[in-house]
Amino acid sequence: PVEAMVDTGATIVAISKSTARRLGISVVPADFKYQVQTANGAIKVARAVIKSIEFGSIRVRDVEAAIIDDKALGGTLLGMSFLAQLKSFKVEDGELILKQ
């Protein structure tokens, strides 16, 4: 399990290098070659595809993710590369509702 924050402003799922390692995704320094713009400025990330993300009863396969240095990311962001594969998502009465 990985604690994550749903972030509709994030284009793709973002995970830290240490979380990636824990999930069995290995990266080397040369993999950090993609420059992306974040709320804190431009950074280099590695790209990966996560085989499956489960969120309650929801399961999405082959989710694009950015792996970010631990110092640059405080927690996992569940971005649009996950959310866009759902039938719908919305916040209603302070509750997040996901439909697959």
Side-chain angles (χ1 to χ4, degrees):
V2 173
E3 192 171 302
M5 179 173 65
V6 175
D7 185 352
T8 58
T11 304
I12 61 177
V13 169
I15 62 174
S16 68
K17 191 162 76 169
S18 60
T19 298
R21 190 176 320 113
R22 193 164 57 83
L23 296 174
I25 301 169
S26 54
V27 293
V28 296
D31 293 330
F32 290 82
K33 59 187 174 188
Y34 302 97
Q35 185 156 326
V36 298
Q37 190 66 36
T38 72
N40 296 322
I43 60 169
K44 295 271 186 169
V45 304
R47 297 181 79 179
V49 174
I50 299 173
K51 285 174 86 172
S52 176
I53 295 178
E54 295 180 33
F55 189 84
S57 63
I58 304 288
R59 176 186 282 177
V60 175
R61 298 186 193 289
D62 301 323
V63 180
E64 185 179 2
I67 300 171
I68 300 174
D69 188 82
D70 291 351
K71 296 174 196 156
L73 182 65
T76 298
L77 301 177
L78 201 57
M80 291 304 295
S81 60
F82 172 84
L83 296 169
Q85 294 188 53
L86 301 175
K87 184 176 183 178
S88 68
F89 61 93
K90 64 181 176 178
V91 175
E92 192 173 280
D93 297 325
E95 185 175 306
L96 177 63
I97 300 170
L98 306 175
K99 291 186 181 177
Q100 191 166 32

